[in-house]
PDB file of all heavy atoms in Angstrom:
ATOM      1  N   TYR A 147     -59.155   0.996  44.057  1.00 98.00           N
ATOM      2  CA  TYR A 147     -60.335   0.819  43.085  1.00 98.00           C
ATOM      3  C   TYR A 147     -61.301   2.013  43.318  1.00 98.00           C
ATOM      4  O   TYR A 147     -61.379   2.648  44.349  1.00 98.00           O
ATOM      5  CB  TYR A 147     -61.152  -0.507  43.290  1.00 98.00           C
ATOM      6  CG  TYR A 147     -61.791  -0.629  44.677  1.00 98.00           C
ATOM      7  CD1 TYR A 147     -63.133  -0.233  44.931  1.00 98.00           C
ATOM      8  CD2 TYR A 147     -61.172  -1.438  45.676  1.00 98.00           C
ATOM      9  CE1 TYR A 147     -63.688  -0.337  46.049  1.00 98.00           C
ATOM     10  CE2 TYR A 147     -61.809  -1.604  46.878  1.00 98.00           C
ATOM     11  CZ  TYR A 147     -63.088  -1.131  47.055  1.00 98.00           C
ATOM     12  OH  TYR A 147     -63.735  -1.315  48.249  1.00 98.00           O
ATOM     13  N   VAL A 148     -62.047   2.329  42.296  1.00 98.00           N
ATOM     14  CA  VAL A 148     -63.149   3.280  42.321  1.00 98.00           C
ATOM     15  C   VAL A 148     -64.434   2.519  42.210  1.00 98.00           C
ATOM     16  O   VAL A 148     -64.534   1.491  41.552  1.00 98.00           O
ATOM     17  CB  VAL A 148     -63.027   4.341  41.252  1.00 98.00           C
ATOM     18  CG1 VAL A 148     -61.801   5.160  41.401  1.00 98.00           C
ATOM     19  CG2 VAL A 148     -62.950   3.661  39.789  1.00 98.00           C
ATOM     20  N   GLU A 149     -65.459   3.109  42.838  1.00 98.00           N
ATOM     21  CA  GLU A 149     -66.785   2.314  42.872  1.00 98.00           C
ATOM     22  C   GLU A 149     -67.943   3.259  42.938  1.00 98.00           C
ATOM     23  O   GLU A 149     -67.874   4.322  43.575  1.00 98.00           O
ATOM     24  CB  GLU A 149     -66.750   1.504  44.126  1.00 98.00           C
ATOM     25  CG  GLU A 149     -67.864   0.433  44.267  1.00 98.00           C
ATOM     26  CD  GLU A 149     -67.678  -0.522  45.318  1.00 98.00           C
ATOM     27  OE1 GLU A 149     -67.608  -0.081  46.513  1.00 98.00           O
ATOM     28  OE2 GLU A 149     -67.622  -1.755  45.117  1.00 98.00           O
ATOM     29  N   ALA A 150     -68.961   2.980  42.166  1.00 97.00           N
ATOM     30  CA  ALA A 150     -70.297   3.556  42.202  1.00 97.00           C
ATOM     31  C   ALA A 150     -71.138   2.764  43.185  1.00 97.00           C
ATOM     32  O   ALA A 150     -71.304   1.568  43.031  1.00 97.00           O
ATOM     33  CB  ALA A 150     -70.913   3.672  40.919  1.00 97.00           C
ATOM     34  N   LYS A 151     -71.793   3.439  44.166  1.00 97.00           N
ATOM     35  CA  LYS A 151     -72.631   2.863  45.148  1.00 97.00           C
ATOM     36  C   LYS A 151     -74.078   3.322  44.882  1.00 97.00           C
ATOM     37  O   LYS A 151     -74.229   4.447  44.581  1.00 97.00           O
ATOM     38  CB  LYS A 151     -72.214   3.069  46.593  1.00 97.00           C
ATOM     39  CG  LYS A 151     -70.796   2.589  46.906  1.00 97.00           C
ATOM     40  CD  LYS A 151     -70.476   2.790  48.330  1.00 97.00           C
ATOM     41  CE  LYS A 151     -69.118   2.391  48.713  1.00 97.00           C
ATOM     42  NZ  LYS A 151     -68.878   1.058  48.695  1.00 97.00           N
ATOM     43  N   GLY A 152     -75.072   2.525  45.264  1.00 96.00           N
ATOM     44  CA  GLY A 152     -76.457   2.970  45.153  1.00 96.00           C
ATOM     45  C   GLY A 152     -77.297   2.422  46.308  1.00 96.00           C
ATOM     46  O   GLY A 152     -77.081   1.340  46.731  1.00 96.00           O
ATOM     47  N   LEU A 153     -78.130   3.229  46.780  1.00 94.00           N
ATOM     48  CA  LEU A 153     -79.124   2.803  47.809  1.00 94.00           C
ATOM     49  C   LEU A 153     -80.560   3.059  47.271  1.00 94.00           C
ATOM     50  O   LEU A 153     -80.814   4.141  46.710  1.00 94.00           O
ATOM     51  CB  LEU A 153     -78.984   3.608  49.098  1.00 94.00           C
ATOM     52  CG  LEU A 153     -77.618   3.471  49.842  1.00 94.00           C
ATOM     53  CD1 LEU A 153     -77.563   4.409  51.099  1.00 94.00           C
ATOM     54  CD2 LEU A 153     -77.342   2.036  50.267  1.00 94.00           C
ATOM     55  N   SER A 154     -81.456   2.108  47.502  1.00 95.00           N
ATOM     56  CA  SER A 154     -82.835   2.320  47.104  1.00 95.00           C
ATOM     57  C   SER A 154     -83.649   1.527  48.079  1.00 95.00           C
ATOM     58  O   SER A 154     -83.542   0.384  48.397  1.00 95.00           O
ATOM     59  CB  SER A 154     -82.968   1.684  45.730  1.00 95.00           C
ATOM     60  OG  SER A 154     -84.403   1.796  45.382  1.00 95.00           O
ATOM     61  N   GLY A 155     -84.640   2.293  48.785  1.00 92.00           N
ATOM     62  CA  GLY A 155     -85.504   1.670  49.778  1.00 92.00           C
ATOM     63  C   GLY A 155     -86.548   2.584  50.312  1.00 92.00           C
ATOM     64  O   GLY A 155     -86.848   3.611  49.717  1.00 92.00           O
ATOM     65  N   ASP A 156     -86.963   2.225  51.529  1.00 89.00           N
ATOM     66  CA  ASP A 156     -87.988   3.053  52.155  1.00 89.00           C
ATOM     67  C   ASP A 156     -87.985   2.846  53.668  1.00 89.00           C
ATOM     68  O   ASP A 156     -87.393   1.808  54.139  1.00 89.00           O
ATOM     69  CB  ASP A 156     -89.424   2.668  51.643  1.00 89.00           C
ATOM     70  CG  ASP A 156     -89.742   1.223  51.832  1.00 89.00           C
ATOM     71  OD1 ASP A 156     -90.264   0.929  52.940  1.00 89.00           O
ATOM     72  OD2 ASP A 156     -89.529   0.428  50.981  1.00 89.00           O
ATOM     73  N   ALA A 157     -88.417   3.872  54.395  1.00 85.00           N
ATOM     74  CA  ALA A 157     -88.474   3.815  55.873  1.00 85.00           C
ATOM     75  C   ALA A 157     -89.932   4.203  56.245  1.00 85.00           C
ATOM     76  O   ALA A 157     -90.612   4.995  55.605  1.00 85.00           O
ATOM     77  CB  ALA A 157     -87.414   4.802  56.468  1.00 85.00           C
ATOM     78  N   ALA A 158     -90.304   3.660  57.403  1.00 84.00           N
ATOM     79  CA  ALA A 158     -91.669   3.951  57.980  1.00 84.00           C
ATOM     80  C   ALA A 158     -91.611   3.927  59.383  1.00 84.00           C
ATOM     81  O   ALA A 158     -90.933   3.135  60.036  1.00 84.00           O
ATOM     82  CB  ALA A 158     -92.681   3.125  57.369  1.00 84.00           C
ATOM     83  N   ILE A 159     -92.503   4.720  60.019  1.00 81.00           N
ATOM     84  CA  ILE A 159     -92.740   4.670  61.492  1.00 81.00           C
ATOM     85  C   ILE A 159     -94.185   5.025  61.741  1.00 81.00           C
ATOM     86  O   ILE A 159     -94.819   5.857  61.087  1.00 81.00           O
ATOM     87  CB  ILE A 159     -91.859   5.688  62.204  1.00 81.00           C
ATOM     88  CG1 ILE A 159     -92.042   5.482  63.783  1.00 81.00           C
ATOM     89  CG2 ILE A 159     -92.006   7.117  61.826  1.00 81.00           C
ATOM     90  CD1 ILE A 159     -91.019   6.219  64.651  1.00 81.00           C
TER      91      ILE A 159
END
Side-chain angles (χ1 to χ4, degrees):
Y147 63 84
V148 294
E149 189 171 58
K151 300 181 185 292
L153 296 177
S154 177
D156 58 87
I159 183 171

